[in-house]
Amino acid sequence: MSHGEYLIEDEAGVKRVVQDARRVAVLGIKTEDHSGQPAYYVPEYLAKAGVDVVPVPVYYPDATQILGKPVYRRLVDIPGDIDLVDVFRRPGDIDQHVDDIIAKKPKAVWFQSGIRNDEAARKLAAAGIRVVQDRCLMVDHRRYSGR
């Protein structure tokens, strides 16, 4: 079976992922101290737009809350379903998260602008998870959320 339908390259597919993303875990989110960086201001934008953002920082061991929400250290520790995992990690650092993502089984995974890892994307697609690579969720949310 081809996993191509899970590797989202077309605008209609991107739009569907955005519109389905009501609860978004942000892997690699940064803290308020880094408000000028996309890994903070993109999830901040999403939260203000009404998305339920779940922070999953990789660093900042002392952080217990980001954007006023409790922090989780692994996706599998998050209670309930996740529509989308928004990934702010270097391409080479994504591999270590693939098993955790697959175990959580979100509907989709989004690699932010400049982030592409085709091998990880194939593994996620093979697990039935839709993958968008190298796009900014903030830009596409503004474009497609209908808000």
Side-chain angles (χ1 to χ4, degrees):
M1 155 154 175
S2 147
H3 308 306
E5 75 229 61
Y6 290 104
L7 297 169
I8 308 297
E9 303 273 339
D10 63 302
E11 291 304 309
V14 169
K15 181 176 182 180
R16 195 164 60 247
V17 169
V18 168
Q19 292 181 339
D20 287 350
R22 298 189 181 20
R23 191 165 189 238
V24 177
V26 182
L27 179 62
I29 190 172
K30 293 195 164 151
T31 61
E32 282 79 356
D33 294 343
H34 301 273
S35 60
Q37 296 194 23
Y40 180 79
Y41 68 70
V42 170
E44 180 187 43
Y45 158 81
L46 293 170
K48 286 179 175 166
V51 173
D52 181 9
V53 172
V54 183
V56 187
V58 174
Y59 305 109
Y60 320 109
D62 298 336
T64 56
Q65 285 200 336
I66 298 175
L67 293 170
K69 302 275 198 157
V71 158
Y72 293 90
R73 294 291 159 182
R74 296 180 316 157
L75 295 164
V76 289
D77 295 335
I78 300 170
D81 292 334
I82 292 291
D83 297 318
L84 181 64
V85 177
D86 189 18
V87 179
F88 287 92
R89 301 287 285 142
R90 290 191 185 96
D93 293 336
I94 291 173
D95 297 331
Q96 63 188 287
H97 299 289
V98 168
D99 290 344
D100 185 35
I101 294 170
I102 289 171
K104 186 60 192 168
K105 200 88 166 104
K107 291 183 193 146
V109 175
W110 191 290
F111 298 164
Q112 279 290 144
S113 304
I115 304 170
R116 181 171 280 279
N117 180 326
D118 290 327
E119 182 58 26
R122 273 195 295 276
K123 286 180 186 164
L124 294 166
I129 298 167
R130 290 179 287 163
V131 182
V132 175
Q133 298 197 80
D134 191 16
R135 292 183 71 125
C136 180
L137 184 54
M138 183 167 77
V139 171
D140 283 321
H141 190 275
R142 282 185 178 140
R143 184 180 292 150
Y144 292 133
S145 67
R147 296 207 168 95

